[in-house]
Amino acid sequence: MLSAGAMSALLFAASIGARAEEPAKAEVPMTSAGFPEASFEIFKLAPGKQEEFIRRIARADQVLAAGGQPPQQLFFHEDGADWDVLIFKPERRPAPTAEQKAAMAAKRKELGIESGPAYFVALRELVAAHTDTETYGPVSAAQWLERLDAWRAAHPSRPAAAR
């Protein structure tokens, strides 16, 4: 499991990478709350299964490309906590169309990639441990505080101790 400091560092590193590839700020996908969403998956791989796992991810990226979607963003462990690969998945907006989903399903079939429970079983043969988390960001401290201050202004009856 990652410490809070290690997860913060990973989230910061991912936000730097995401910002470098993102178009103008106005085009960042936003949640109904106004912040972009993303998920992180952290894998500790089974001994000797690293290359096979990465090749499986590369095939999954081919499926995404068939539907006009960007590849997953991987981070590889170098030093510190006990994990091998972190996958950063920014929320995809708009969601894939029916045509894009059909193209991805066709590519998955062409590549012989399992789906549903069979995918889970095949992937678990490569993984010793896995965790994931849903997040929002990247956002700056100023953006987050602006949202907090707006909430407090809209709820002035809340006592300070309840904040």
Side-chain angles (χ1 to χ4, degrees):
M1 192 60 61
L2 292 178
S3 70
M7 182 56 86
S8 294
L10 287 170
L11 293 172
F12 176 74
S15 71
I16 298 272
R19 287 182 183 152
E21 295 177 12
E22 285 180 2
K25 182 180 176 184
E27 296 179 34
V28 174
M30 301 298 262
T31 66
S32 59
F35 290 135
E37 291 183 341
S39 66
F40 290 84
E41 292 188 68
I42 303 163
F43 294 91
K44 180 175 182 176
L45 302 173
K49 297 296 185 176
Q50 289 79 4
E51 181 180 353
E52 187 176 346
F53 178 85
I54 300 305
R55 289 189 184 281
R56 178 174 275 275
I57 297 300
R59 287 194 338 261
D61 284 346
Q62 290 177 34
V63 171
L64 290 170
Q69 302 297 310
Q72 300 170 79
Q73 297 177 31
L74 279 64
F75 295 81
F76 294 89
H77 178 261
E78 189 171 308
D79 188 22
D82 190 23
W83 58 275
D84 295 304
V85 176
L86 178 141
I87 299 178
F88 171 58
K89 297 178 178 179
E91 182 180 29
R92 303 196 193 290
R93 287 203 183 173
T97 65
E99 293 80 18
Q100 289 171 313
K101 288 179 183 179
M104 290 188 291
K107 186 62 153 181
R108 185 178 300 109
K109 185 175 181 178
E110 173 190 326
L111 295 173
I113 298 175
E114 309 86 350
S115 62
Y119 176 83
F120 173 79
V121 170
L123 185 66
R124 288 302 298 176
E125 291 175 357
L126 308 175
V127 175
H130 168 254
T131 187
D132 56 66
T133 188
E134 299 292 322
T135 68
Y136 61 86
V139 298
S140 69
Q143 289 170 311
W144 191 88
L145 289 170
E146 181 181 323
R147 180 63 47 85
L148 175 63
D149 292 342
W151 183 88
R152 286 184 173 158
H155 300 87
S157 63
R158 303 272 302 177
R163 292 184 195 166

